[in-house]
Amino acid sequence: MARQKAPLIGVLAIQGDYDAHGQALRDVGADAVFIRKPAELANIDGLIIPGGESTTFLKFLARDGFLDTLQSFVGHKPTFGTCAGCILLAGEVRNPAQESLGVLDATVERNAYGRQIDSSIQTLETKLPGGPLEMVFIRAPRILKTGPDVEVLAARDGFPVLIRQGHLLAATFHPELSSDRRVHQLFLNLVREQQIRPV
């Protein structure tokens, strides 16, 4: 029997720790490629939008029609947004309001947990198998509200920190900075589900 080909997952390599996401993807059996041009989205099976500054992302994506191409991609292809990536996917962004891709039925408040000095590592319960999960929060946003099609997979102080909506996954923490690969494995599983049953 032929071996199943590993999904090719892109990591938006504009800023943030995209190298760590690439390693995490390889650790769970995916092929990883860094995405810096809109045309590079054409051949991948899924995409991770890493952390960083969401306003810087938007400035970069304003060039060469990248934002429009990305908007089309996230509308139907598996996409995982972490921290700033979660902000970019959200339907509404506050503190302050800003443009986003608007595909995730969630309201997100930027820098809600304070400044860089207020960053923390917490171990919290999740719906993922395997017990509590280590979560690295760095100038993290807060998910204030989610729509009926959004599944909350983990929460902190009553606010969601890991959510899924169909082919979309979002986290307000940085799973790439932990040695626990369950969140990247979850995204890889989501990509494989979509390969079998396209959106």
Side-chain angles (χ1 to χ4, degrees), residues 28 73-74 79 88 91 94 102 108 138:
V28 297
F73 182 94
V74 301
T79 304
L88 287 176
R94 296 180 183 173
V108 177
I138 302 173

Side-chain angles (χ1 to χ4, degrees), residues 54-66:
S54 56
T55 49
T56 304
F57 271 115
L58 287 170
K59 286 178 185 172
F60 186 92
L61 293 169
R63 305 172 189 168
D64 303 325
F66 204 158

Side-chain angles (χ1 to χ4, degrees), residues 10-191:
V11 183
L12 196 60
I14 297 171
Q15 60 169 196
D17 205 344
Y18 46 83
D19 275 326
H21 275 295
Q23 184 58 55
L25 288 168
R26 288 187 286 274
D27 288 347
V28 297
D31 290 333
V33 61
F34 296 135
I35 303 295
R36 296 187 175 90
K37 298 176 182 175
E40 293 169 337
L41 292 168
N43 299 317
I44 58 175
D45 301 306
L47 176 70
I48 291 179
I49 304 176
E53 288 282 348
S54 56
T55 49
T56 304
F57 271 115
L58 287 170
K59 286 178 185 172
F60 186 92
L61 293 169
R63 305 172 189 168
D64 303 325
F66 204 158
L67 191 61
D68 290 340
T69 307
L70 184 59
Q71 179 90 52
S72 175
F73 182 94
V74 301
H76 68 282
K77 284 276 195 168
T79 304
F80 177 24
T82 62
C83 201
C86 174
I87 296 170
L88 287 176
L89 292 177
E92 181 182 356
V93 180
R94 296 180 183 173
N95 190 35
Q98 73 175 31
E99 185 180 9
S100 68
L101 296 166
V103 289
L104 185 64
D105 191 3
T107 300
V108 177
E109 178 185 12
R110 299 173 62 207
N111 302 321
Y113 293 101
R115 303 166 64 184
Q116 191 89 9
I117 197 171
D118 300 308
S119 299
S120 65
I121 301 175
Q122 302 197 19
T123 302
L124 301 172
E125 295 290 337
T126 80
K127 290 185 178 178
L128 304 184
L133 180 72
E134 181 183 83
M135 303 179 190
V136 180
F137 293 92
I138 302 173
R139 294 184 60 204
R142 178 181 285 139
I143 299 172
L144 299 175
K145 188 169 61 176
T146 58
D149 294 331
V150 174
E151 181 184 10
V152 178
L153 300 171
R156 171 184 174 183
D157 302 326
F159 293 96
V161 295
L162 177 64
I163 59 176
R164 177 183 177 176
Q165 178 186 333
H167 64 288
L168 303 172
L169 186 68
T172 61
F173 58 94
H174 291 262
E176 77 279 10
L177 299 181
S178 169
S179 60
D180 193 320
R181 297 301 190 217
R182 280 180 286 165
V183 179
H184 285 83
Q185 183 65 59
L186 173 67
F187 183 58
L188 178 59
N189 295 346
L190 192 156
V191 171

